[in-house]
Amino acid sequence: MPFLRALCLTLLFATSGTVTVAQDKARIEQQFQGWLEQTIWPRARAKGVSRATFDAAFDGVRLNWKLPDLVPPGSKPRTPKTQRQAEFGAPAKYFNRGSLDGATSVGRQMMKRHASALQQTEKRTGVPGRIILGIWGRESGYGRVAIKHDAFEVLGTKGFMSTRADYFTQELIAALQIAQAGHVRPRGMKSSWAGALGQPQFMPSNFLGYAADGNGDGRADIWESEADTIASIGHYLARHGWQKGRDWGFEVRVPAAVSCAFEGPDQGRRISDWAAMGITRVSGKPFPAHELKGQGYLLMPAGRHGPAFIVTPNFYVLKDYNMSDLYALFVGHVGDRIQYGSGDFSAGWGNVGHLYRSDIAKMQRALEKQGHDVGGADGLPGFKTRRSIGRWQEAQGQNPTCFPTTTLVKAIR
């Protein structure tokens, strides 16, 4: 009998716990609906959103408890677990065979299928079609990747209870403005789990600033219209400073005498100067004559453990689309493969990327204490962290490699 009594008590407490959780969620759901009415509706109305649009946007919308980084009312943010976001993982994984070949082969098909839209956008913005294709392929597989989330559910949930509630609240108001303008029906406004919209994956505020009508129907439909998607990506890059006639960059060989610590957009010099230092293109061709007087920047995303590049200001325009060296490099590389038939990078990616972000962050904090600017102890090996490692190695009399490894994490204290 003691066993049966214990079992009954266990079942009772388990059931009670389930009921409590359900009651808590029901209570928070009521708070959410009140927040929409009392906070969001007045702000939306002030931006010109009608009551009919507002009601249509939130018809049937409930909190999505499956989204990440949620902070329900009355709770504290959880300590984030180790994350392995693709843009900051091991470079070799980012440039895997399947991703490269798939983006290239489908991109060539899209270049033929949408030649007119690409040419018109390039003429209007100065952005090459191959670059637009590189972004389109990376963001949504040229529209083939399902974008299944309801934008108002995602943005509403994250605006009400997430670690970046203010940001997502602003994006929610922007989404309502998009619906009010008639670009898409509210239930047709599909997004990623983070609220990025349509085939180019614009956040709503970016849609308002950069979405373009590519087919002349008076709407900017980045969900169903390929022409609008192409025009919108081109418009975004042009508005962010794309320099017409310049490339994004070149793979190069960096002699041992040129330190990898010279990397970074704040250490630019004329491409002719880099060439005078002994840096050459891996293709064996000289740098184009029209590029020689322009600014170039050393990029070594895996330090001495991978390929090196001299990139132009256009590379950093690509980074405005997604703040990742690897993302911008992937887009430019795939664009070259699509149009020119380029092969893989000459240098392979070394066996790097097996460190936890917490390990890298620990090393970054140690470098900061020594006076280095690592760009923040975020556990991500950006260019400031890479070159700080190189400078530390040089100070120790070592040949700089400019990339975190297990050995360096243990040595830099």
Side-chain angles (χ1 to χ4, degrees):
M1 295 302 293
F3 170 77
L4 291 176
R5 186 184 307 165
L7 178 61
C8 290
L9 287 172
T10 299
L11 292 173
L12 175 63
F13 286 131
T15 303
S16 175
T18 301
V19 171
T20 300
V21 170
Q23 290 174 341
D24 286 344
K25 287 188 174 182
R27 174 177 54 80
I28 294 172
E29 184 70 51
Q30 289 180 341
Q31 293 176 3
F32 171 60
Q33 298 299 327
W35 174 77
L36 290 176
E37 187 65 33
Q38 298 163 20
T39 300
I40 300 304
W41 164 236
R43 290 181 59 175
R45 181 175 54 193
K47 290 291 187 180
V49 176
S50 70
R51 185 71 207 196
T53 297
F54 183 86
D55 289 342
F58 294 107
D59 182 26
V61 169
R62 299 291 183 268
L63 290 171
N64 185 339
W65 292 87
K66 296 180 181 180
L67 296 176
D69 303 322
L70 299 184
V71 186
S75 64
K76 296 181 180 180
R78 296 180 180 179
T79 302
K81 297 180 180 179
T82 301
Q83 298 181 6
R84 296 184 181 277
Q85 184 181 353
E87 281 77 13
F88 302 100
K93 291 183 179 179
Y94 199 90
F95 289 85
N96 67 78
R97 181 84 279 136
S99 295
L100 281 175
D101 289 350
T104 300
S105 62
V106 178
R108 288 172 181 158
Q109 298 173 27
M110 293 298 175
M111 177 169 273
K112 294 178 180 179
R113 186 178 304 171
H114 301 291
S116 177
L118 289 164
Q119 290 167 4
Q120 290 176 16
T121 298
E122 182 168 353
K123 183 178 180 180
R124 185 167 54 249
T125 66
V127 181
R130 74 182 196 280
I131 298 296
I132 295 172
L133 288 168
I135 289 179
W136 187 16
R138 187 64 194 178
E139 293 296 338
S140 65
Y142 306 100
R144 297 185 176 194
V145 174
I147 304 168
K148 58 185 179 180
H149 291 280
D150 183 294
F152 290 105
E153 178 186 87
V154 169
L155 295 170
T157 299
K158 296 179 83 67
F160 177 65
M161 57 173 194
S162 77
T163 54
R164 301 173 65 197
D166 290 344
Y167 168 75
F168 284 106
T169 297
Q170 294 173 6
E171 294 297 339
L172 177 60
I173 300 299
L176 287 165
Q177 292 177 264
I178 294 169
Q180 179 64 36
H183 294 291
V184 64
R185 293 176 295 100
R187 292 284 74 77
M189 193 180 296
K190 298 301 182 181
S191 77
S192 71
W193 61 264
L197 305 176
Q199 296 186 42
Q201 288 289 275
F202 280 177
M203 291 304 292
S205 59
N206 280 336
F207 181 101
L208 293 177
Y210 309 110
D213 174 16
N215 58 14
D217 67 354
R219 299 185 302 131
D221 181 3
I222 61 173
W223 292 269
E224 301 294 336
S225 170
E226 290 86 356
D228 289 2
T229 295
I230 290 168
S232 296
I233 294 172
H235 187 218
Y236 181 99
L237 295 177
R239 289 284 299 276
H240 280 77
W242 184 273
Q243 296 183 7
K244 183 178 181 180
R246 295 207 67 186
D247 210 320
W248 66 267
F250 310 90
E251 187 185 359
V252 297
R253 291 189 177 90
V254 180
V258 178
S259 174
C260 51
F262 285 146
E263 184 183 6
D266 54 350
Q267 298 192 100
R269 59 188 74 196
R270 293 193 304 181
I271 290 181
S272 60
D273 293 334
W274 290 114
M277 295 168 66
I279 292 179
T280 59
R281 295 178 64 183
V282 297
S283 65
K285 299 177 181 178
F287 290 104
H290 70 276
E291 295 277 12
L292 290 174
K293 292 183 179 180
Q295 283 286 103
Y297 312 89
L298 181 62
L299 172 74
M300 302 181 73
R304 289 284 182 180
H305 302 291
F309 307 87
I310 293 296
V311 297
T312 76
N314 285 340
F315 177 85
Y316 294 101
V317 174
L318 296 178
K319 282 194 67 174
D320 283 336
Y321 207 102
N322 183 313
M323 287 301 296
S324 160
D325 288 335
L326 296 182
Y327 175 91
L329 192 58
F330 185 94
V331 166
H333 183 48
V334 166
D336 290 349
R337 291 166 65 96
I338 290 171
Q339 183 160 338
Y340 306 128
S342 304
D344 294 339
F345 293 136
S346 175
W349 299 100
N351 189 23
V352 296
H354 300 290
L355 291 170
Y356 287 105
R357 282 177 57 171
S358 56
D359 293 331
I360 297 175
K362 183 178 180 180
M363 181 192 63
Q364 288 170 322
R365 287 190 290 270
L367 286 167
E368 285 180 329
K369 289 180 180 179
Q370 298 178 36
H372 293 279
D373 177 10
V374 299
D378 57 4
L380 304 173
F383 76 90
K384 288 187 176 181
T385 293
R386 297 195 294 265
R387 71 187 185 193
S388 292
I389 292 171
R391 290 167 181 170
W392 181 90
Q393 290 172 309
E394 288 173 339
Q396 303 299 311
Q398 302 175 12
N399 292 325
T401 58
C402 299
F403 203 81
T405 62
T406 302
T407 301
L408 282 170
V409 165
K410 292 178 180 178
I412 301 175
R413 298 179 181 276

